[in-house]
PDB file of all heavy atoms in Angstrom:
ATOM      1  N   ARG B  22    -199.885  70.270   7.930  1.00  0.00           N
ATOM      2  CA  ARG B  22    -200.861  70.374   6.847  1.00  0.00           C
ATOM      3  C   ARG B  22    -202.153  71.042   7.353  1.00  0.00           C
ATOM      4  O   ARG B  22    -202.736  71.881   6.665  1.00  0.00           O
ATOM      5  CB  ARG B  22    -201.137  68.971   6.251  1.00  0.00           C
ATOM      6  CG  ARG B  22    -201.901  68.999   4.994  1.00  0.00           C
ATOM      7  CD  ARG B  22    -201.577  67.735   4.084  1.00  0.00           C
ATOM      8  NE  ARG B  22    -201.374  66.537   4.915  1.00  0.00           N
ATOM      9  CZ  ARG B  22    -202.371  65.814   5.415  1.00  0.00           C
ATOM     10  NH1 ARG B  22    -203.610  66.161   5.207  1.00  0.00           N
ATOM     11  NH2 ARG B  22    -202.134  64.758   6.132  1.00  0.00           N
ATOM     12  N   TYR B  23    -202.587  70.613   8.508  1.00  0.00           N
ATOM     13  CA  TYR B  23    -203.845  71.197   9.028  1.00  0.00           C
ATOM     14  C   TYR B  23    -203.677  72.659   9.474  1.00  0.00           C
ATOM     15  O   TYR B  23    -204.561  73.448   9.360  1.00  0.00           O
ATOM     16  CB  TYR B  23    -204.433  70.310  10.165  1.00  0.00           C
ATOM     17  CG  TYR B  23    -205.248  69.177   9.595  1.00  0.00           C
ATOM     18  CD1 TYR B  23    -204.636  68.004   9.137  1.00  0.00           C
ATOM     19  CD2 TYR B  23    -206.616  69.288   9.435  1.00  0.00           C
ATOM     20  CE1 TYR B  23    -205.360  66.958   8.520  1.00  0.00           C
ATOM     21  CE2 TYR B  23    -207.362  68.286   8.837  1.00  0.00           C
ATOM     22  CZ  TYR B  23    -206.745  67.119   8.410  1.00  0.00           C
ATOM     23  OH  TYR B  23    -207.442  66.133   7.825  1.00  0.00           O
ATOM     24  N   ALA B  24    -202.454  72.977   9.949  1.00  0.00           N
ATOM     25  CA  ALA B  24    -202.203  74.403  10.318  1.00  0.00           C
ATOM     26  C   ALA B  24    -202.272  75.264   9.047  1.00  0.00           C
ATOM     27  O   ALA B  24    -202.763  76.385   9.120  1.00  0.00           O
ATOM     28  CB  ALA B  24    -200.815  74.510  10.977  1.00  0.00           C
ATOM     29  N   ALA B  25    -201.774  74.741   7.928  1.00  0.00           N
ATOM     30  CA  ALA B  25    -201.827  75.493   6.667  1.00  0.00           C
ATOM     31  C   ALA B  25    -203.262  75.693   6.232  1.00  0.00           C
ATOM     32  O   ALA B  25    -203.638  76.723   5.632  1.00  0.00           O
ATOM     33  CB  ALA B  25    -201.020  74.813   5.610  1.00  0.00           C
ATOM     34  N   LEU B  26    -204.138  74.707   6.506  1.00  0.00           N
ATOM     35  CA  LEU B  26    -205.527  74.785   6.035  1.00  0.00           C
ATOM     36  C   LEU B  26    -206.395  75.557   7.002  1.00  0.00           C
ATOM     37  O   LEU B  26    -207.280  76.289   6.563  1.00  0.00           O
ATOM     38  CB  LEU B  26    -206.090  73.355   5.908  1.00  0.00           C
ATOM     39  CG  LEU B  26    -205.539  72.533   4.749  1.00  0.00           C
ATOM     40  CD1 LEU B  26    -206.022  71.067   4.883  1.00  0.00           C
ATOM     41  CD2 LEU B  26    -206.029  73.061   3.358  1.00  0.00           C
ATOM     42  N   PHE B  27    -206.199  75.388   8.319  1.00  0.00           N
ATOM     43  CA  PHE B  27    -207.153  75.940   9.262  1.00  0.00           C
ATOM     44  C   PHE B  27    -206.543  77.073  10.146  1.00  0.00           C
ATOM     45  O   PHE B  27    -207.258  77.681  10.904  1.00  0.00           O
ATOM     46  CB  PHE B  27    -207.656  74.834  10.236  1.00  0.00           C
ATOM     47  CG  PHE B  27    -208.565  73.860   9.583  1.00  0.00           C
ATOM     48  CD1 PHE B  27    -208.077  72.726   8.895  1.00  0.00           C
ATOM     49  CD2 PHE B  27    -209.975  74.056   9.568  1.00  0.00           C
ATOM     50  CE1 PHE B  27    -208.953  71.863   8.271  1.00  0.00           C
ATOM     51  CE2 PHE B  27    -210.806  73.186   8.948  1.00  0.00           C
ATOM     52  CZ  PHE B  27    -210.292  72.075   8.315  1.00  0.00           C
ATOM     53  N   GLY B  28    -205.235  77.306   9.928  1.00  0.00           N
ATOM     54  CA  GLY B  28    -204.591  78.325  10.760  1.00  0.00           C
ATOM     55  C   GLY B  28    -203.865  77.663  11.929  1.00  0.00           C
ATOM     56  O   GLY B  28    -204.360  76.691  12.512  1.00  0.00           O
ATOM     57  N   GLU B  29    -202.708  78.281  12.288  1.00  0.00           N
ATOM     58  CA  GLU B  29    -201.883  77.720  13.391  1.00  0.00           C
ATOM     59  C   GLU B  29    -202.709  77.599  14.676  1.00  0.00           C
ATOM     60  O   GLU B  29    -202.619  76.593  15.413  1.00  0.00           O
ATOM     61  CB  GLU B  29    -200.686  78.606  13.680  1.00  0.00           C
ATOM     62  CG  GLU B  29    -199.713  78.750  12.587  1.00  0.00           C
ATOM     63  CD  GLU B  29    -198.677  77.612  12.568  1.00  0.00           C
ATOM     64  OE1 GLU B  29    -198.652  76.843  13.553  1.00  0.00           O
ATOM     65  OE2 GLU B  29    -197.935  77.494  11.546  1.00  0.00           O
ATOM     66  N   GLY B  30    -203.525  78.613  14.955  1.00  0.00           N
ATOM     67  CA  GLY B  30    -204.245  78.640  16.213  1.00  0.00           C
ATOM     68  C   GLY B  30    -205.285  77.586  16.354  1.00  0.00           C
ATOM     69  O   GLY B  30    -205.805  77.339  17.471  1.00  0.00           O
ATOM     70  N   ALA B  31    -205.678  76.956  15.255  1.00  0.00           N
ATOM     71  CA  ALA B  31    -206.735  75.950  15.306  1.00  0.00           C
ATOM     72  C   ALA B  31    -206.207  74.583  15.709  1.00  0.00           C
ATOM     73  O   ALA B  31    -207.017  73.683  16.092  1.00  0.00           O
ATOM     74  CB  ALA B  31    -207.460  75.850  13.960  1.00  0.00           C
ATOM     75  N   VAL B  32    -204.922  74.393  15.654  1.00  0.00           N
ATOM     76  CA  VAL B  32    -204.318  73.068  15.841  1.00  0.00           C
ATOM     77  C   VAL B  32    -203.772  72.961  17.273  1.00  0.00           C
ATOM     78  O   VAL B  32    -202.897  73.725  17.669  1.00  0.00           O
ATOM     79  CB  VAL B  32    -203.178  72.843  14.818  1.00  0.00           C
ATOM     80  CG1 VAL B  32    -202.571  71.433  15.011  1.00  0.00           C
ATOM     81  CG2 VAL B  32    -203.740  72.920  13.393  1.00  0.00           C
ATOM     82  N   GLY B  33    -204.278  72.014  18.017  1.00  0.00           N
ATOM     83  CA  GLY B  33    -203.833  71.805  19.414  1.00  0.00           C
ATOM     84  C   GLY B  33    -202.524  71.054  19.507  1.00  0.00           C
ATOM     85  O   GLY B  33    -201.890  70.773  18.504  1.00  0.00           O
ATOM     86  N   GLU B  34    -202.153  70.698  20.746  1.00  0.00           N
ATOM     87  CA  GLU B  34    -200.944  69.913  20.960  1.00  0.00           C
ATOM     88  C   GLU B  34    -201.297  68.439  20.921  1.00  0.00           C
ATOM     89  O   GLU B  34    -202.340  68.001  21.346  1.00  0.00           O
ATOM     90  CB  GLU B  34    -200.353  70.261  22.339  1.00  0.00           C
ATOM     91  CG  GLU B  34    -199.793  71.689  22.430  1.00  0.00           C
ATOM     92  CD  GLU B  34    -198.710  71.929  21.454  1.00  0.00           C
ATOM     93  OE1 GLU B  34    -197.841  71.071  21.266  1.00  0.00           O
ATOM     94  OE2 GLU B  34    -198.701  72.980  20.795  1.00  0.00           O
ATOM     95  N   PRO B  35    -200.331  67.584  20.434  1.00  0.00           N
ATOM     96  CA  PRO B  35    -200.579  66.156  20.464  1.00  0.00           C
ATOM     97  C   PRO B  35    -200.589  65.602  21.885  1.00  0.00           C
ATOM     98  O   PRO B  35    -199.814  66.091  22.751  1.00  0.00           O
ATOM     99  CB  PRO B  35    -199.371  65.597  19.679  1.00  0.00           C
ATOM    100  CG  PRO B  35    -198.668  66.735  19.078  1.00  0.00           C
ATOM    101  CD  PRO B  35    -199.036  67.964  19.878  1.00  0.00           C
ATOM    102  N   ILE B  36    -201.416  64.619  22.117  1.00  0.00           N
ATOM    103  CA  ILE B  36    -201.543  63.964  23.415  1.00  0.00           C
ATOM    104  C   ILE B  36    -201.383  62.488  23.211  1.00  0.00           C
ATOM    105  O   ILE B  36    -202.148  61.895  22.402  1.00  0.00           O
ATOM    106  CB  ILE B  36    -202.941  64.215  24.056  1.00  0.00           C
ATOM    107  CG1 ILE B  36    -203.409  65.649  23.921  1.00  0.00           C
ATOM    108  CG2 ILE B  36    -202.930  63.756  25.542  1.00  0.00           C
ATOM    109  CD1 ILE B  36    -204.941  65.793  23.958  1.00  0.00           C
ATOM    110  N   ASP B  37    -200.452  61.895  23.906  1.00  0.00           N
ATOM    111  CA  ASP B  37    -200.330  60.433  23.823  1.00  0.00           C
ATOM    112  C   ASP B  37    -201.404  59.744  24.690  1.00  0.00           C
ATOM    113  O   ASP B  37    -201.569  60.131  25.859  1.00  0.00           O
ATOM    114  CB  ASP B  37    -198.945  59.975  24.299  1.00  0.00           C
ATOM    115  CG  ASP B  37    -197.832  60.303  23.346  1.00  0.00           C
ATOM    116  OD1 ASP B  37    -198.174  60.667  22.184  1.00  0.00           O
ATOM    117  OD2 ASP B  37    -196.649  60.188  23.719  1.00  0.00           O
ATOM    118  N   LEU B  38    -202.070  58.780  24.097  1.00  0.00           N
ATOM    119  CA  LEU B  38    -203.101  58.041  24.825  1.00  0.00           C
ATOM    120  C   LEU B  38    -202.705  56.531  24.765  1.00  0.00           C
ATOM    121  O   LEU B  38    -203.249  55.802  23.957  1.00  0.00           O
ATOM    122  CB  LEU B  38    -204.482  58.234  24.200  1.00  0.00           C
ATOM    123  CG  LEU B  38    -204.998  59.680  24.121  1.00  0.00           C
ATOM    124  CD1 LEU B  38    -206.267  59.763  23.257  1.00  0.00           C
ATOM    125  CD2 LEU B  38    -205.306  60.221  25.555  1.00  0.00           C
ATOM    126  N   PRO B  39    -201.770  56.145  25.616  1.00  0.00           N
ATOM    127  CA  PRO B  39    -201.218  54.777  25.532  1.00  0.00           C
ATOM    128  C   PRO B  39    -202.316  53.715  25.648  1.00  0.00           C
ATOM    129  O   PRO B  39    -202.233  52.691  24.980  1.00  0.00           O
ATOM    130  CB  PRO B  39    -200.251  54.728  26.716  1.00  0.00           C
ATOM    131  CG  PRO B  39    -199.951  56.125  27.140  1.00  0.00           C
ATOM    132  CD  PRO B  39    -201.179  56.915  26.740  1.00  0.00           C
ATOM    133  N   ALA B  40    -203.297  53.986  26.513  1.00  0.00           N
ATOM    134  CA  ALA B  40    -204.378  52.961  26.701  1.00  0.00           C
ATOM    135  C   ALA B  40    -205.141  52.715  25.416  1.00  0.00           C
ATOM    136  O   ALA B  40    -205.665  51.647  25.207  1.00  0.00           O
ATOM    137  CB  ALA B  40    -205.329  53.410  27.811  1.00  0.00           C
ATOM    138  N   GLN B  41    -205.138  53.707  24.548  1.00  0.00           N
ATOM    139  CA  GLN B  41    -205.881  53.543  23.253  1.00  0.00           C
ATOM    140  C   GLN B  41    -204.963  53.290  22.078  1.00  0.00           C
ATOM    141  O   GLN B  41    -205.435  53.054  20.964  1.00  0.00           O
ATOM    142  CB  GLN B  41    -206.727  54.824  22.981  1.00  0.00           C
ATOM    143  CG  GLN B  41    -207.452  55.317  24.246  1.00  0.00           C
ATOM    144  CD  GLN B  41    -208.828  55.828  23.939  1.00  0.00           C
ATOM    145  OE1 GLN B  41    -209.409  55.568  22.933  1.00  0.00           O
ATOM    146  NE2 GLN B  41    -209.376  56.606  24.863  1.00  0.00           N
TER     147      GLN B  41
END
Side-chain angles (χ1 to χ4, degrees):
Chain B
R22 191 152 37 79
Y23 277 81
L26 289 168
F27 290 87
E29 296 277 349
V32 180
E34 292 299 318
I36 315 155
D37 287 349
L38 301 170
Q41 316 217 20

